[in-house]
Amino acid sequence: MMNKHVFRTGWKKGAMLALTLTFGLAVAGCGTDTPSKDGAQATGSAGQAGAASTDQKLVVYSAGPDGLAKKLVAGYEAQNGVKVELFQGTTGKILARMEAEKANPVADVVVLASLPSVQGLKKDGLTLPYPDAKNADKLNPDWSDKEGNYFSTSASALGIAYNTKLVKTPPTSWADLAKPEYKDQINIPDPSLSGSALDFMTGYLSANGDGGWTLFEQYKANGVAMAGANQEALDPVITGAKSMVAAAVDYMTYKAKAKGEPIDIVYPKEGTVISPRPAAILKSTQHEQNAKAFIDYLLSDEAQKLVADASLLPGRTDVKADKRANLDEIPLLKTNWEWMGEHGPDVTEKFTQMFK
Amino acid sequence: MGVSSAKQIRAWSLILALIALALLIVLPLLQIFIQSVYVDGQLQWSAPFQTLAASRFAGVLFGSIWLGICVIAGTTVLALPLAWIMSNTRLASWRWLDVVLLIPFMTPPYIGSMGWILFMQKNGYLEQLFPSLHFLTPFFFSFGGMVMIMSLHLFPFLYLLLRGALVRIGGSLEEAGAVMGGGFLYRFRRIILPLLLSAYGMGALLIFVKTIAEFGTPATFGRRIGYEVMTSEIHKYISSWPIDFGKATSMASVLLTACLLVWYVQSVINRKYTYRLVGGKGSRPSRLRVSVWTTGLSVTFILLLLIASIGIPYFSIIAASTMKLRGIGLAWDNFTLDYYKELLSWGSESMEALLNSVFLSLGASTIAVVLGTWFALVIGGSRTKLQRTVDAFSLLPNTVPGIVMVVGLILWWNSPWMPIPLYNTYGMVILTYVVLFVPYTVQYVKSAFTQVDTALFQAGQVFGGAPSYVFRRIVLPLILPGMLAGWMMTFTIASRELVGSLLILPPSVQTSATYIFAQFEQGQVSLGMAMAVISVGLTTLLLILMESLNSQRKWK
């Protein structure tokens, strides 16, 4: 009996020693090739002390569109000689990452695709005001903070995107989508995944009061399907599985149309909602000067031109887009952003329940 | 060498394993639970319960569990006959099938589901090819369709475990049954089934857990048919304003409890039905007279399985990746290879993402195999409480939804007091993959190891083998197939891992999975699909290379 024990442990000992050692080395190995954060903190404190010349770093978390974010970063890097680390994701992914990093924040600047989220950040005291931002006075005042906590440097409008092969005479009002001829043919993005879809819903409700829910009830009755985030809702319309998207983000539609896909967008006559895309400096920033310079860049003529070229609405009222409908060509609902930010969670809950 | 020192070292190894598991897995998860009871900086023990008391919750939980059970049934129907065919008929010599059958598992679930959706939806590829079959669409977009998609994705996993067990059972036992006059069904019921049960229990548990923790298919297909599960609910709290980790973790802890419960049942079955199968006598594969009919039936079965699990989804994926305009559909003048050209141009972003994926998963799978083997050896026959604790801890990452585990890792490694600056580096990504996938190696090695008779080690000692010699020449060769399977699994899944990568990759770094996801988000579906084809193709090539190197060595 005793012997058996020795036999069993004998070989095990050798094996485990080897494996234990390997594990130790692996952990040590991972530990050594990781200099970046120490470096970041060191330069960060130097930057705060005013020695901007040694502070050559900036961390930006940005919601899409992908190409635009990269172009903006490249433009800023070329102008300021600062190396930007860019994390891209949806607004939700960015917020989740920020929440997970709460104890030890990494990001300096965030660009989101949802105004209520950034209002929430401001309310929680997470944003750093920058009232002296250059060109801030030229921004659309409705979409940005008066104290300079956030700046909406671009925006998208919501409309009805439709497949031009399937829909010959596009609808002209939101109510049209409840018509029996469109039964089971319409997608609407999920407001818990799409900030802009939520903006449409809260915006429509804030303009129409609780009576606004009638529209969504009619939609539900007409077989409108809630389908993922914006692109997921649009994709079946491009391939012809569905005919239309209610509350479609316009720049995505313009982009697909420019490629040659059979798709187009209309803005209903009773008005729609604009979904601003705010940028904010975080109070925890280690690179304040660079962050401020980044905001200045986003508001510059050059950056606003890039925004317009990406088929988005420029944030500055004095910059015009030539590839899309400009702000003055889009009929708007009378929306109340305060109310919209406050009621977002309730509306999401009620809407997703209704369309489940 | 005294008994006491050997005993000591074994004890130390066990404790060290516990410490490693605590640091890597348990403490990060604990951080989340702490967060779920702290609401606005105040301790509120009732917070998780309030979340769970919400009226819809029970339905969502039931939805998850029912889905898990149905997918176990679905994968069993696919994997069990396949495992039998691949260990008992002449087709067993088709070793390349093993790698091919991994392709469904290598395909990211949301891509596979999208392939099916593109094929079956209104105006989809099926309708474009055979317009008269459009009546199938409503049948497909149902709960049954979802179970089918998930089963076709997960069955390779169960198959590998079952085939391994069947091969170890070998031919002699079944032949003994046949000699004694037992018919096929009798032999199956009285010999194979009991011997298979422990491996099946393990596989079924992991299928269940993988299903209820899966996010891709519920997010793409489930949302379409309005079927809600826990992961989509958790994901909602974790990725839309306002972020609420507390609610997400409360739900995750219920999921965790459900999984631990199933795990307990499985471990009871396991202890009751584990037999020493690999003894000194050597075994040979079972080749009972297999009739021409059976062979024909087997070939048909495999063919149909390959069409359903690879043929259809990849037809869609490849078609979508070669379309100039998706709005036009299947047409020869709509065909282009531009997306592949764009992806494969050297130095491009996509190429970088691809290389990142390959190197990160190579590193992660190698470390995971070493760690996992160590844990599996420490667990041994899970006789003591401590051993069972190691077992349970090492299984944790597989029982928690990936996204929850990843948030825990971020909270832990990015704490202000963390002395190792791992967060936001490649090391962190590798560590995350290792943590997420170490259970696979543990399971595979354990499954191989518990069926080895100790008499073999004793024989080695009797003939004068030093411990290291016994390990090298007896234990290692016997557990090597398990290690290899673990390595292949880890490499396969790590190379397509999405949820964790989305949150944990350092800024400016992409992997092929996050690249695909980003393309879908940006409306570049064709580009995303092309990347899926390339990354799965590359992984398959690597695995075939490994497999052929391995079999060459075997025959020398």
Side-chain angles (χ1 to χ4, degrees), chain B residues 261-317:
Chain B
L261 218 69
V262 182
W263 172 79
Y264 177 75
V265 174
Q266 186 268 332
S267 76
V268 169
I269 296 177
N270 191 25
R271 251 173 293 159
K272 219 170 146 188
Y273 291 101
T274 297
Y275 304 95
R276 304 290 178 195
L277 289 168
V278 182
K281 296 226 174 57
S283 67
R284 53 199 185 72
S286 160
R287 292 283 190 283
L288 287 176
R289 279 158 290 146
V290 172
S291 66
V292 184
W293 276 105
T294 319
T295 311
L297 217 65
S298 303
V299 172
T300 317
F301 179 80
I302 290 183
L303 217 64
L304 285 178
L305 189 64
L306 289 181
I307 289 176
S309 64
I310 303 175
I312 290 177
Y314 271 91
F315 175 80
S316 302
I317 293 169

Side-chain angles (χ1 to χ4, degrees), chain B residues 201-341:
Chain B
M202 205 173 264
L205 164 78
L206 286 180
I207 295 282
F208 180 80
V209 164
K210 282 239 70 100
T211 308
I212 62 175
E214 174 57 55
F215 174 67
T217 308
T220 39
F221 191 85
R223 204 175 276 140
R224 273 216 170 184
I225 59 169
Y227 195 81
E228 282 204 331
V229 293
M230 296 284 282
T231 42
S232 47
E233 196 77 344
I234 290 174
H235 190 261
K236 197 177 85 190
Y237 286 121
I238 224 157
S239 66
S240 60
W241 181 262
I243 304 283
D244 196 334
F245 282 169
K247 282 205 177 93
T249 50
S250 304
M251 292 202 161
S253 53
V254 173
L255 255 190
L256 183 64
T257 316
C259 293
L260 287 178
L261 218 69
V262 182
W263 172 79
Y264 177 75
V265 174
Q266 186 268 332
S267 76
V268 169
I269 296 177
N270 191 25
R271 251 173 293 159
K272 219 170 146 188
Y273 291 101
T274 297
Y275 304 95
R276 304 290 178 195
L277 289 168
V278 182
K281 296 226 174 57
S283 67
R284 53 199 185 72
S286 160
R287 292 283 190 283
L288 287 176
R289 279 158 290 146
V290 172
S291 66
V292 184
W293 276 105
T294 319
T295 311
L297 217 65
S298 303
V299 172
T300 317
F301 179 80
I302 290 183
L303 217 64
L304 285 178
L305 189 64
L306 289 181
I307 289 176
S309 64
I310 303 175
I312 290 177
Y314 271 91
F315 175 80
S316 302
I317 293 169
I318 292 173
S321 73
T322 54
M323 266 181 200
K324 268 182 232 158
L325 290 178
R326 292 164 37 70
I328 289 177
L330 297 172
W332 285 113
D333 57 351
N334 194 28
F335 178 88
T336 176
L337 287 175
D338 287 354
Y339 300 108
Y340 288 92
K341 241 182 269 164

Side-chain angles (χ1 to χ4, degrees), chain A residues 2 4-17 19-20 22-23 26-27 30-31 33-38 59-61 64-67 70 83-93 95-97 99-106 114 116-117 119-121 124 163 165-166 185 187 190-193 198 226-229 231-232 235-236 238-243 252 255 259-262 341 345 348-349 352-353 356, chain B residues 1 3 5-7 9-10 13-14 16 20 24 35 56 114 118 121-123 128 219-220 223-224 226 228 235-243 245 324-328 339 349 367 370-371 373-375 377-380 383 387 407 410-411 413-416 420-425 427 430 449 454 457-458 461-462 466-468 470-471 475 499 501-510 517-526:
Chain A
M2 190 70 143
K4 182 177 172 185
H5 201 75
V6 179
F7 291 140
R8 279 192 60 78
T9 48
W11 64 262
K12 261 197 174 178
K13 185 177 133 184
M16 284 178 186
L17 265 178
L19 291 176
T20 311
T22 324
F23 172 64
V27 168
C30 291
D33 62 5
T34 55
S36 71
K37 205 148 85 180
D38 282 302
V59 183
V60 176
Y61 288 5
D66 186 58
K70 275 182 204 135
K83 178 85 192 97
V84 174
E85 284 184 8
L86 178 65
F87 172 77
Q88 286 197 78
T90 55
T91 302
K93 289 271 158 3
L95 291 172
R97 199 176 159 114
E99 180 76 16
E101 289 169 346
K102 209 171 182 176
N104 197 16
V106 173
S114 149
S117 320
Q119 285 171 334
L121 293 181
D124 290 349
N163 185 310
K165 288 204 297 196
L166 299 173
Q185 289 177 29
N187 269 346
D190 182 343
S192 75
L193 298 167
L198 180 60
M226 190 169 71
Q231 194 63 47
E232 281 170 272
D235 207 51
I238 293 176
T239 58
K242 294 271 180 181
S243 308
M252 284 182 185
K255 202 163 140 191
K259 239 174 102 183
E261 301 285 12
T348 309
E349 178 74 23
T352 48
Q353 278 315 299
K356 204 169 57 174
Chain B
M1 146 190 343
V3 177
S5 81
K7 240 185 180 169
I9 286 183
R10 194 161 65 146
S13 187
L14 190 61
L16 214 70
L24 289 175
Q35 243 196 15
R56 298 177 332 97
M114 263 187 82
L118 289 176
Q121 73 187 359
K122 189 183 141 212
N123 285 331
Q128 291 176 31
T220 39
R223 204 175 276 140
R224 273 216 170 184
E228 282 204 331
H235 190 261
K236 197 177 85 190
Y237 286 121
I238 224 157
S239 66
S240 60
W241 181 262
I243 304 283
F245 282 169
K324 268 182 232 158
L325 290 178
R326 292 164 37 70
I328 289 177
Y339 300 108
E349 216 188 306
I367 296 174
V370 174
L371 263 182
T373 308
W374 177 37
F375 293 150
L377 293 180
V378 164
I379 294 164
R383 270 179 291 272
Q387 284 177 326
V407 166
I410 298 180
L411 290 175
W413 288 97
N414 191 37
S415 315
I420 310 169
L422 200 59
Y423 187 64
N424 263 349
T425 64
I430 291 186
F449 183 64
T454 45
F457 313 137
Q458 291 164 12
Q461 284 284 45
V462 166
S468 61
V470 173
F471 177 76
V475 181
V499 181
S501 313
L502 277 177
L503 283 178
I504 215 132
L505 281 174
S508 314
V509 176
Q510 278 190 317
F517 191 78
Q519 299 319 307
F520 285 164
E521 240 172 52
Q522 304 294 329
Q524 307 266 35
V525 177
S526 299

